[in-house]
Every structure is written in C-alpha cells, then in structure tokens.
Amino acid sequence: MKELMRSNNPVEIAYAQALLADSGIGCVLLDQHAAALDGSIGALPRRLCVGDDDLAEAQTLLRDAGLINKEGPQ
C-alpha cells in the first residue's frame, strides 16, 4: 500500500474515495478513528492509501480532479 493523499477535510476524502471506486481502484482510509478522537481539530489528517499497482492511475485520477497537485501525498 502507498499513501495517495492526506487531508483533514472529510468531504475531500469522500470525494477521492468515490472517484477511485468509480474507476475500480480499491483504497483504504487510515487514521479516521484517531482523527475523530482528536475532537476534529485537524491535528491528525486522514490518509488515503491504494495498492502499489494502482498508484500511478490513482494519482492521475486525483490530479485531474484537482485533489493532488504532484506525485505523492500532500
């Protein structure tokens, strides 16, 4: 698994997950429970990860959607 993006914005994360699902790319959301426990103050961003084989396609998809602006997590 490789980290695709990280964000404190739950709407942005949900949008990214929907785009990936529509393209048939599986993903895993990490740190969602820890982020909820911090009181939603934004101290712990959620991380969206994809399989190694899907990374390049997922990066292109999210870059085209304006969710990431370069390769690697932001």
Side-chain angles (χ1 to χ4, degrees):
M1 298 294 291
K2 298 285 185 182
E3 185 177 331
L4 179 61
M5 67 178 287
R6 61 177 71 185
S7 176
N8 291 325
N9 185 337
V11 174
E12 190 175 78
I13 291 287
Y15 180 49
Q17 287 178 299
L19 288 173
L20 293 169
D22 285 347
S23 295
I25 300 173
C27 64
V28 175
L29 183 60
L30 302 176
D31 302 325
Q32 65 185 9
H33 299 294
L37 289 175
D38 80 356
S40 299
I41 61 171
L44 298 172
R46 293 159 181 88
R47 295 178 291 153
L48 191 61
C49 299
V50 296
D52 296 350
D53 296 338
D54 294 323
L55 182 62
E57 183 181 355
Q59 285 174 330
T60 299
L61 182 67
L62 295 190
R63 193 177 309 112
D64 290 347
L67 293 173
I68 61 175
N69 58 15
K70 61 180 181 174
E71 290 192 22
Q74 57 179 36

